Amino acid sequence: MLTVGVDVGGTSVRAGVVDAEGEVLDTARAPTPSSDTALEETVAAAVRELAGRHRIGAVGLALAGFIASDRRTVRFAPHLSWRDAPVADRIAERLDLPVVVEHDANAAALAERRFGAAAGASTTVFIALGTGIGAALLIGGELYRGTHGVAPELGHVRVVPDGRPCPCGKRGCWERYCSGTGLSTTALELLGQDYSGSLLAREAARDPGRITGQRVAAAAREGDKVARRAIADLGRWLGEGLSLVADVFDPELVVIGGGVSESAPLFLDEAREHYARTVTGAGNRPLARIRTAQLGEAAAVVGAAQLARDLVCD
């Protein structure tokens, strides 16, 4: 049976037809609108486009936000308009198909467990480094979602008291230092010092908005000294967070995904070394294996589609 996974992001809606082996057979994409009704119709239209070319049995949605434990209601999504919205029921009514909703990091973690880097691991923490940090916890291959469906919100663990302000309302959250946004912020802070020979410095002088996390990573590959310092700082903060994760969950495996993970060769060794030095009991305990994700940006689509398949089979 074929199912559709839909990754509903703040800027685009990406849908894919997925088979039982996790292969994405066909895709559709559209910009993310701002209102509830328009967003639901955009999701439905993407699914209808794919259903016109394939026989579809169910639909799974993946998005960044708080999802109720029944996987039908979106309580809050910071980059979308849904608030306490029965999204699954509304879209199911439009499509006349079963629909399930899940947090995008949870969906990606399930996909990596079934088809990718987390296969066979007993306890896995999945960390998605993107604009912010998404996270998921798998125990015995099953998601741990907490009492209200919002665990584990690792990106907003405070690592720097009175640190950088975060859109969540706190200051010093881990994702303000260890994410694409954190990488660009660190680079801009470093550029406030004397780095006149840096290519990034010349670019920032023309337009600071060009100093994105992707641009910093690219400049680091080119040998730019500011970019390399910013990347090293990200690696250190990733290691710091991993030591906290290990202290709390003691996982067998940590999988690093999200867009920033594409640049993992630049920072993952530093992160591993910092984690090994700072974890409680360093030198006297086993360390979690740390791997990069295998499914790339398709992970949330594949995981949501797999959840939809499980829904229909049950």
Side-chain angles (χ1 to χ4, degrees), residues 64-196:
F66 296 163
I67 312 300
S69 56
D70 62 2
R71 290 175 171 159
R72 309 203 62 74
T73 301
V74 178
R75 298 189 186 280
F76 170 73
H79 306 297
L80 303 171
S81 58
W82 288 317
R83 299 290 183 271
D84 287 320
V87 171
D89 292 338
R90 289 178 183 172
I91 295 178
E93 185 175 352
R94 290 175 183 269
L95 294 171
D96 195 26
L97 286 170
V99 177
V100 63
V101 186
E102 185 54 275
H103 190 284
D104 55 357
N106 284 349
L110 288 171
E112 291 290 342
R113 164 74 180 184
R114 187 74 63 96
F115 305 110
S122 60
T123 305
T124 301
V125 175
F126 178 84
I127 298 173
L129 303 180
T131 303
I133 291 179
L137 173 62
L138 294 169
I139 301 175
E142 300 294 325
L143 282 172
Y144 176 78
R145 306 177 75 252
T147 301
H148 304 293
V150 302
E153 195 60 69
L154 297 180
H156 297 287
V157 171
R158 185 177 294 173
V159 295
V160 181
D162 298 321
R164 294 172 181 170
C166 182
C168 77
K170 297 192 293 186
R171 300 182 70 94
C173 293
W174 187 24
E175 69 173 42
R176 294 299 92 193
Y177 299 86
C178 186
S179 64
T181 303
L183 182 58
S184 62
T185 301
T186 299
L188 288 169
E189 288 178 353
L190 290 171
L191 288 170
Q193 305 171 23
D194 183 16
Y195 283 101
S196 55

Side-chain angles (χ1 to χ4, degrees), residues 221-293:
R221 294 188 191 95
E222 297 162 6
D224 184 273
K225 57 185 179 181
V226 173
R228 285 188 173 275
R229 280 194 62 187
I231 282 283
D233 192 73
L234 183 143
R236 181 175 66 85
W237 280 113
L238 178 56
E240 187 74 18
L242 290 176
S243 68
L244 294 173
V245 167
D247 285 346
V248 175
F249 299 118
D250 189 26
E252 173 189 348
L253 175 69
V254 177
V255 176
I256 308 296
V260 177
S261 69
E262 296 175 3
S263 300
L266 296 172
F267 60 78
L268 197 54
D269 285 346
E270 169 67 25
R272 286 191 177 105
E273 292 172 6
H274 189 84
Y275 156 58
R277 289 194 305 268
T278 57
V279 67
T280 302
N284 296 287
R285 61 180 287 180
L287 299 177
R289 293 181 291 124
I290 302 170
R291 302 183 64 187
T292 52

Side-chain angles (χ1 to χ4, degrees), residues 187-188 191 195 197-208 210-212 215-220 222 224-228 230:
L188 288 169
L191 288 170
Y195 283 101
S198 166
L199 175 62
L200 283 184
R202 294 194 293 273
E203 293 181 6
R206 292 194 296 270
D207 179 10
R210 294 182 59 185
I211 310 304
T212 63
R215 180 65 193 105
V216 175
E222 297 162 6
D224 184 273
K225 57 185 179 181
V226 173
R228 285 188 173 275

